[in-house]
Amino acid sequence: FGVTVDRVFLHGDTEDKAIYNALDKKKLEWGISFDDEGKATVSDGVYSQWPQVRMAVQMLSRLPPTSGQRVVFKTQVEKVKVSLDQTKESFMKRFTGNVSDAYYEVYRPSEEGEKRDYFDAVFKSRDYVTIGVDCHTESKEDI
């Protein structure tokens, strides 16, 4: 059909949740690494998701290796790296798995109680999931 899928979500959902989000797929290309001197290299996209890491990266490049503050800034960057790695792993699990499993993971209420019990009962009784798709053409026209 010549379209690019931006998002796959529960049909009629008004929240910003998604079974698939093209932005999450772009995160697979992002990376954070450290060189032998302890300086961090961070993909530009990381700054859009975790803007606080920019200052930590700058400080790592400015502070001498003997500075005690380097540990604080390196820890901040390492925490963002862990978050990015978890995001990639979570996306790949949903992307390569069954749609019904991704739906269950994204839309099942996190808090126990009546809403979760209802979701579980409905999910078990259905053999289908209704989804909506946001997509666009090559000329960026929404469909």
Side-chain angles (χ1 to χ4, degrees), residues 6-18:
D6 297 317
R7 229 173 124 245
V8 177
F9 55 94
L10 172 64
H11 180 72
D13 184 40
T14 57
E15 297 181 39
D16 197 25
K17 294 180 180 182

Side-chain angles (χ1 to χ4, degrees), residues 97-131:
N98 294 326
V99 172
S100 59
D101 293 340
Y103 167 82
Y104 186 83
E105 180 185 321
V106 171
Y107 287 102
R108 185 174 190 241
S110 57
E111 66 281 346
E112 296 208 17
E114 198 173 307
K115 286 183 179 182
R116 183 187 246 183
D117 294 342
Y118 177 76
F119 179 92
D120 290 344
V122 170
F123 184 79
K124 286 178 187 174
S125 67
R126 286 188 183 159
D127 58 355
Y128 63 92
V129 176
T130 57
I131 58 173

